[in-house]
C-alpha cells in the first residue's frame, strides 16, 4: 500500500503572488516616472531599464507560478519496495535498490518558506522533485526507509 510522504509546499504560491505584486508596483512606478518626464536623459535610461528588467522578472514569476500550479499536491509516495514520484503528466516508479543517493538542494530561503528540491540519483538518471514541503524531514524519512 502506498503512503504519501512528500507534499507540495503551498507557501510557494503565496510568495510568488506577493513578489509579482511588488514587481508590478515597481514597474508601474517607473512607467509613471517615464510618462511624467525626466529632467535628465540618464534618469530616463535608468527608468526604462528598470521597466524592462521588472517585466522580465514578472514573466519569470508567472512562468514559475504556472509550473507550480501544474504540479500535483502529492509529490512522493512509498510502498514496501519502491518510491513513486508524481510529476504533472507521469508517475515514475523507482525501486529502492536502484537509488544510489538522495540529496536536497535548497535553492532560495525566503520569508515564508525555503524552496528546494530532492534529487534521487540512480545509475542511469537523476530525478528531481520540486516544491517539497518540509524538505529535510522528507529526505530524512526516505533515508531511514531506504537505509542509506
Amino acid at each position: 500500500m502506498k503512503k504519501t510522504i512528500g507534499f507540495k509546499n503551498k507557501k510557494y504560491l503565496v510568495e510568488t503572488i506577493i513578489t509579482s505584486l511588488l514587481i508590478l508596483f515597481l514597474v508601474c512606478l517607473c512607467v509613471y516616472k517615464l510618462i511624467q518626464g525626466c529632467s535628465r536623459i540618464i534618469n530616463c535610461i535608468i527608468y526604462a531599464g528598470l521597466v524592462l528588467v521588472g517585466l522580465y522578472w514578472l514573466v519569470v514569476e508567472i512562468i514559475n507560478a504556472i509550473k507550480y500550479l501544474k504540479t500535483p499536491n502529492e509529490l512522493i509516495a512509498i510502498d514496501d519496495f519502491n518510491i513513486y514520484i508524481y510529476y504533472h503528466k507521469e508517475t515514475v516508479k523507482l525501486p529502492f535498490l536502484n537509488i544510489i543517493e538522495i540529496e536536497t538542494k535548497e535553492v532560495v530561503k525566503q520569508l515564508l518558506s525555503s524552496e528546494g528540491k530532492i534529487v534521487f540519483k540512480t545509475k542511469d538518471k537523476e530525478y528531481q522533485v520540486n516544491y517539497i514541503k518540509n524538505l529535510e524531514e522528507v529526505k530524512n524519512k526516505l533515508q531511514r526507509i531506504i537505509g542509506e
Side-chain angles (χ1 to χ4, degrees):
M1 185 170 125
K2 290 183 193 177
K3 177 184 174 189
T4 303
I5 61 169
F7 294 92
K8 182 163 66 169
N9 187 352
K10 305 283 187 209
K11 294 177 184 177
Y12 179 78
L13 186 61
V14 174
E15 292 173 347
T16 302
I17 291 170
I18 290 170
T19 303
S20 297
L21 290 174
L22 182 61
I23 294 167
L24 188 61
F25 172 75
L26 293 174
V27 166
C28 289
L29 189 64
C30 287
V31 168
Y32 174 75
K33 286 288 194 179
L34 279 171
I35 292 172
Q36 240 184 357
C38 305
S39 57
R40 295 175 18 197
I41 190 72
I42 190 71
N43 290 350
C44 288
I45 293 170
I46 290 171
Y47 288 135
L50 287 173
V51 167
L52 292 175
V53 169
L55 289 175
Y56 175 78
W57 192 10
L58 191 60
V59 168
V60 169
E61 288 293 324
I62 290 170
I63 290 169
N64 287 338
I66 291 169
K67 285 180 188 175
Y68 172 85
L69 291 171
K70 287 182 174 183
T71 304
N73 287 326
E74 296 179 351
L75 298 172
I76 301 173
I78 58 169
D79 64 14
D80 293 335
F81 303 103
N82 302 297
I83 293 177
Y84 299 89
I85 302 171
Y86 301 110
Y87 292 112
H88 171 58
K89 293 184 179 182
E90 69 174 319
T91 300
V92 175
K93 180 180 173 182
L94 287 175
F96 291 154
L97 297 174
N98 291 359
I99 298 172
I100 297 171
E101 183 182 358
I102 299 172
E103 70 178 44
T104 54
K105 294 182 180 179
E106 201 163 6
V107 179
V108 178
K109 203 164 203 160
Q110 294 179 336
L111 183 62
L112 299 175
S113 67
S114 62
E115 189 201 331
K117 57 187 161 193
I118 292 182
V119 180
F120 297 94
K121 294 182 180 181
T122 65
K123 293 174 187 170
D124 306 326
K125 198 171 179 184
E126 288 186 3
Y127 300 91
Q128 293 187 129
V129 184
N130 297 315
Y131 314 118
I132 298 282
K133 181 178 181 179
N134 301 326
L135 189 62
E136 284 299 320
E137 184 180 317
V138 172
K139 178 187 176 188
N140 292 337
K141 280 183 190 178
L142 287 166
Q143 287 178 332
R144 274 195 313 270
I145 292 166
I146 293 173
E148 268 193 357

